[in-house]
Amino acid sequence: MNLLNEEMKNGTALTRPCVLGFDEMKIDESYCYHSAEDRMYGANKQMLGTFLRGLFSDLKQIIHFEFDAKMDKNLLVDLLSQLHNVNCSVSAVVCDLGKKLEKDYS
């Protein structure tokens, strides 16, 4: 959010309106070893990605991602609050409403 905050400080009335989008994606459940960190990653089934797009500008930024998580009211309100604090004006929230999301949010 710090990078976004710097961008919005110099923003105009046309650069502040944004659209918040999120998508849940199925990912490969295999494990991966990161030798430089000497750490294992993996065994996750889903990834939730949240991004911000400018409504009238070319802004495009990932603002949150999490493994095996769902978008819920608390997370959405928290993200909207953080965006408000950096002077982003969120005009819409969108998602793809795939089969899983359609079941969860209908």
Side-chain angles (χ1 to χ4, degrees):
M1 289 290 174
N2 292 336
L3 181 63
L4 190 58
N5 188 28
E6 290 302 315
E7 187 163 335
M8 289 300 159
K9 276 183 186 176
N10 302 322
T12 66
L14 287 177
T15 59
R16 288 195 177 99
C18 297
V19 175
L20 180 70
F22 65 93
D23 194 7
E24 293 178 354
M25 296 157 265
K26 184 170 174 49
I27 58 174
D28 186 3
E29 294 181 49
S30 62
Y31 286 93
C32 179
Y33 176 69
H34 192 290
S35 60
E37 295 180 6
D38 191 29
R39 185 171 172 190
M40 292 290 291
Y41 291 95
N44 302 101
K45 296 179 181 181
Q46 294 279 120
M47 185 185 96
L48 171 66
T50 309
F51 53 91
L52 194 65
R53 294 293 308 254
L55 192 58
F56 303 111
S57 69
D58 61 354
L59 174 71
K60 181 183 351 180
Q61 184 170 338
I62 295 173
I63 61 167
H64 175 264
F65 71 92
E66 193 172 349
F67 296 101
D68 292 335
K70 291 172 113 177
M71 180 60 73
D72 62 11
K73 180 181 175 183
N74 293 332
L75 178 56
L76 183 59
V77 168
D78 182 51
L79 290 170
L80 290 171
S81 175
Q82 289 180 46
L83 291 168
H84 175 76
N85 290 339
V86 297
N87 295 318
C88 273
S89 175
V90 177
S91 302
V93 177
V94 298
C95 67
D96 69 349
L97 271 182
K99 293 286 185 197
K100 187 174 183 320
L101 283 173
E102 189 176 342
K103 184 181 83 170
D104 290 343
Y105 297 108
S106 55

